[in-house]
Amino acid sequence: MGKGEGRNRGVKEGGKVGGEGMGREGKREGKAKDIYAQKGCVVPGCDGSNTSYVEDFVNWTIPEGDQCHYYKPISNASSQQCSQDDFDEDLTLNCTEWVYDTSTFTSTTVTEFDLTCDNAKLVPLAGSMYMVGMLVGAITIGDFADRFGRKLGIMVSVLLISIGGILSALSPNYIMFLIMRLLTGAGGVGLFQVTFVLAVEFIGSKWRTFVGIMIEVPFALGEAMTGVLAIFIREWVWLQVAVTAPAILLLSYMWIMPESVRWLVSQGRKEEAIKIINRAAKVNGVEVPKHLLEEKDETAAADGSISVGNSKSDLVKEDAKSKRTVLDLLKTPNMRKRSFNLFFSWAVCTLVYYGLSSNSGNLGGNIFLNFILTMLIEIPSYVFSYLVLDRMGRKGTLSFVLLLGGVACFISGFIPEDIGWLIVTLSLVGKFGIAAAFAIVYVYSAEIFPTDYRSAGIGACSMCARVGGILAPIISSLSSIYKPLPLLVFGVLSIISGCLIVLLPETVGSELPQTLQESEDFGKDQPIFYFSCFGKKKSEEVSGVENPAVEEGRF
C-alpha cells in the first residue's frame, strides 16, 4: 500500500477535485491538497485490503488535517481491533505507508516515488530540473546548431526528448527521473529554438514579424494536446510515453527537410545552398535571379536568400562584434537601467507563464478543462499581439498586457473559492496577458539593444528568463501554504514589471541603434509617458529590420 497498489479509495461524495472534502470530516485530507495524489496514512490494524479511502475509523486514528501521523495504538490492544478506545489521541506516530486516492489519476510521480511528508518538498524539483535543462539546452544546442547545422541541431534535440522522456517513465528512482527531466528540457528548448531559427531564415523580412509571433500558436496547441491525452491516459508512465514518443517521428526530417540556405552560405557550402534555392524555386514556380547564383563573396541576407552586398571585411567585423559581452551594456547609465529592466521583465514573463500553467490544477473545477483552456487562451493573445504591436507600439502593448495579466491574477487571489468560474476566468485573462507579453518581449528587447550587442543582450535576458522558469514550480507549490498565494505573487510581479516598462523608450517606427552610444542616446527626446497609440502602421519600417535576437524563439 505504500504506493497505492492500485487501490481506488474514492472521493467522498460532495468532495471537490481540488482536494476539499477528501476523507471523512477532512481527516484524511492532509495539509497539502495535492490534486494529483490525495494521500493519507495507512493505519495499522484498521486499513486492510478491503477498506476504502473513506472510512469511519479515520475520525479517531488520524489527527485532523495531518497526513503524516496517526494516533498511537494502545499497547495492550489487539492488533486486529480498530475502535476509538484502541488509540491514544495524546500520542502520534510517523506514517511509514500511505494510501492514495486514485479517482483522478491512477498513478503519478508522487505515488510512484512516495513524495509525501518529509519528501513532499522534492515535488517541485521535477519542474525546476526541466527548466535547468532548458537553460543548458539553450546554450549548448544553439551553439551546436551554429557549428554543425540546423538539421543536426534538430536531430540532437529530438533524441534528447525521446530518450529523456521514455527513460523518465522507466526510472527506478526519483534521482534518475530528475536527470531524465533535465535531458527532456534540454531537448525541448533545442527543438523549438532551432526550428524557430530555421523558419525565420527561410522567411523573407516582410513576414518575419508575423512568423515570429504566430509560430507560438502550434506551441500552444501542443500544450493543450497534453491535457487532452491526460483525460484518456490517467497513469503517468503511459502519459509520459504518449507525450514524448511521437518526437521520434521527427527523425525523418533528416531526409525530408532542407538545411538552412543562410547557414550553408556562412559555412562556404554554396553549391548545396544553390541546389536548395533551385528546388524551392521549382516548387514555387518562379525563376531564381542569375546574380544570386554568381560566384562572388557571398553571405546570407536578412531574408534568408544569398546576397552579394556584404564583403569579407564585413564578415570579419561581424566576428569581432560577437566577442563583445553583456558587461559592456552595464557601463553606461541609460543602457544599464534599460538592461536590468528587461532582465527583470524576462524573468517575470517566464515565471508567470510557466507558473500559471503549473497552477491550473489548483483553480478548482475540472482540472483537465482548466489546463486545456489555460493553453488555448494563448492563441488569441498571439493574434492580438500581432494586430496591435505595430499600431499601439512596443512599450504601450507590453506594459498593457503585463498590467492586464497582473491585475487579473491579483484579483483572482481574493475571490472566494465557491465562485470558481470567476477564479478560472481571471486566471485565463492573466494567462492571456502574460502569453502576449512573452511573445512581445522578444521583439522589443531586440530593438532596445544595439546591433553591436544584440546577441549578448538577448542572451543575458534569456539567462534571466531561465531563473524565472526554475522558480515557477516552487512558487506554484506555495498553494499548499495558502491556496491563492501563487496567484498573488504572479500578480504583484507582473504589475511591477508592467509599470517599469514605462521607463523604456518606444521603438516602433524608429531607426534602431547600431552602436552602444546610439543606444545610450536613443529615446532621450521622448517623455516617460510617450506611447505610440493607434497611429499609422509602419510595417515596412518595423518588420523589415532584421531581428536576429528574436530567432531565439520562446525559450
Side-chain angles (χ1 to χ4, degrees):
M1 287 188 294
K3 293 184 179 179
E5 298 180 357
R7 293 171 56 188
N8 187 350
R9 301 196 171 190
V11 183
K12 176 184 176 183
E13 183 179 358
K16 297 181 181 179
V17 176
E20 293 77 354
M22 292 293 183
R24 191 65 59 96
E25 301 296 330
K27 291 295 185 70
R28 231 168 194 165
E29 176 181 352
K31 293 180 179 178
K33 300 176 181 177
D34 183 1
I35 61 169
Y36 304 111
Q38 285 292 339
K39 46 199 171 287
C41 272
V42 171
V43 182
C46 294
D47 268 304
S49 59
N50 296 322
T51 53
S52 65
Y53 187 84
V54 181
E55 292 288 348
D56 288 336
F57 61 74
V58 299
N59 288 306
W60 62 77
T61 58
I62 298 177
E64 184 172 359
D66 189 346
Q67 63 178 344
C68 299
H69 301 87
Y70 62 94
Y71 291 128
K72 181 180 180 181
I74 297 176
S75 58
N76 60 1
S78 171
S79 60
Q80 300 301 316
Q81 292 179 334
C82 186
S83 64
Q84 188 167 2
D85 294 335
D86 296 325
F87 293 86
D88 186 351
E89 296 188 0
D90 293 327
L91 298 174
T92 59
L93 299 177
N94 293 328
C95 290
T96 57
E97 292 182 291
W98 292 265
V99 61
Y100 297 99
D101 171 30
T102 57
S103 59
T104 302
F105 291 98
T106 305
S107 68
T108 68
T109 53
V110 173
T111 65
E112 179 69 21
F113 303 114
D114 276 338
L115 302 179
T116 60
C117 298
D118 292 339
N119 291 329
K121 59 181 177 294
L122 301 177
V123 175
L125 285 181
S128 295
M129 283 297 287
Y130 187 88
M131 295 298 170
V132 171
M134 291 176 64
L135 172 59
V136 174
I139 297 172
T140 58
I141 297 180
D143 181 69
F144 181 89
D146 286 341
R147 292 174 180 270
F148 302 105
R150 313 311 190 206
K151 289 175 64 173
L152 283 178
I154 290 175
M155 294 306 105
V156 170
S157 301
V158 169
L159 288 174
L160 287 174
I161 292 175
S162 304
I163 295 173
I166 294 175
L167 290 184
S168 64
L170 303 176
S171 299
N173 54 63
Y174 196 53
I175 294 177
M176 179 176 174
F177 175 77
L178 292 177
I179 295 173
M180 293 303 105
R181 288 293 291 169
L182 187 147
L183 293 181
T184 307
V189 67
L191 182 59
F192 188 95
Q193 179 173 293
V194 180
T195 302
F196 191 101
V197 171
L198 184 62
V200 170
E201 289 179 341
F202 270 111
I203 296 297
S205 59
K206 178 181 179 181
W207 295 99
R208 184 158 296 142
T209 298
F210 176 81
V211 172
I213 297 294
M214 301 308 292
I215 199 172
E216 312 284 1
V217 171
F219 186 93
L221 291 174
E223 291 175 314
M225 184 55 63
T226 303
V228 174
L229 289 174
I231 295 176
F232 302 99
I233 306 175
R234 302 298 182 92
E235 189 170 350
W236 80 273
V237 170
W238 293 110
L239 180 60
Q240 180 74 19
V241 172
V243 169
T244 54
I248 297 175
L249 298 176
L250 295 177
L251 292 174
S252 63
Y253 282 27
M254 190 67 186
W255 296 275
I256 64 177
M257 180 179 64
E259 181 58 88
S260 166
V261 170
R262 192 174 180 184
W263 181 82
L264 288 172
V265 172
S266 71
Q267 301 297 309
R269 296 161 61 176
K270 302 179 182 65
E271 292 184 2
E272 295 177 59
I274 290 173
K275 289 180 180 179
I276 294 175
I277 291 175
N278 285 327
R279 186 160 65 247
K282 183 178 180 180
V283 171
N284 291 317
V286 297
E287 184 176 349
V288 183
K290 292 183 178 180
H291 73 273
L292 293 181
L293 307 179
E294 295 175 354
E295 291 290 337
K296 296 182 180 180
D297 289 334
E298 300 167 339
T299 188
D303 63 356
S305 62
I306 299 178
S307 169
V308 296
N310 291 355
S311 64
K312 290 182 178 180
S313 60
D314 292 327
L315 297 178
V316 173
K317 291 179 182 178
E318 198 61 33
D319 288 336
K321 293 176 185 178
S322 64
K323 297 178 182 178
R324 297 175 179 176
T325 69
V326 69
L327 295 179
D328 296 328
L329 294 171
L330 307 181
K331 293 179 179 179
T332 55
N334 282 337
M335 283 309 300
R336 180 166 54 246
K337 290 183 289 187
R338 293 170 185 175
S339 296
F340 281 122
N341 196 337
L342 290 172
F343 296 163
F344 179 71
S345 181
W346 278 62
V348 169
C349 285
T350 311
L351 168 66
V352 180
Y353 177 88
Y354 287 106
L356 285 176
S357 300
S358 302
N359 194 60
S360 60
N362 296 320
L363 299 179
N366 189 307
I367 61 172
F368 303 103
L369 181 60
N370 289 345
F371 181 85
I372 293 170
L373 291 177
T374 300
M375 301 308 158
L376 291 181
I377 195 65
E378 296 180 27
I379 297 176
S381 76
Y382 300 139
V383 175
F384 170 82
S385 301
Y386 174 69
L387 293 177
V388 306
L389 191 57
D390 289 345
R391 294 183 179 276
M392 193 171 172
R394 280 36 168 169
K395 180 169 76 169
T397 307
L398 182 56
S399 180
F400 170 75
V401 294
L402 281 170
L403 291 174
L404 174 68
V407 170
C409 288
F410 188 79
I411 294 176
S412 65
F414 293 98
I415 303 298
E417 291 187 21
D418 56 350
I419 315 180
W421 65 269
L422 184 56
I423 297 176
V424 172
T425 300
L426 289 173
S427 296
L428 291 176
V429 173
K431 185 63 180 294
F432 176 97
I434 207 65
F438 211 146
I440 295 168
V441 73
Y442 280 94
V443 178
Y444 192 27
S445 299
E447 295 174 349
I448 291 289
F449 293 120
T451 302
D452 290 357
Y453 294 88
R454 188 164 291 139
S455 295
I458 295 297
C461 287
S462 184
M463 293 283 287
C464 295
R466 301 288 72 78
V467 174
I470 292 170
L471 293 176
I474 299 174
I475 300 299
S476 294
S477 69
L478 295 179
S479 61
S480 62
I481 300 174
Y482 178 55
K483 195 168 185 179
L485 187 55
L487 290 174
L488 296 178
V489 173
F490 299 151
V492 169
L493 291 176
S494 296
I495 291 172
I496 292 174
S497 182
C499 293
L500 290 176
I501 290 297
V502 176
L503 301 177
L504 297 175
E506 179 57 73
T507 60
V508 67
S510 302
E511 183 177 349
L512 302 186
Q514 302 295 317
T515 65
L516 187 59
Q517 186 57 49
E518 289 181 9
S519 286
E520 181 69 11
D521 297 333
F522 183 76
K524 283 186 175 180
D525 57 338
Q526 295 180 9
I528 292 180
F529 293 101
Y530 171 77
F531 296 97
S532 175
C533 293
F534 301 104
K536 182 179 179 181
K537 186 175 180 180
K538 301 180 180 181
S539 58
E540 293 79 13
E541 292 180 69
V542 178
S543 301
V545 177
E546 183 179 1
N547 194 349
V550 179
E551 296 176 2
E552 277 211 19
R554 170 183 299 281
F555 300 101

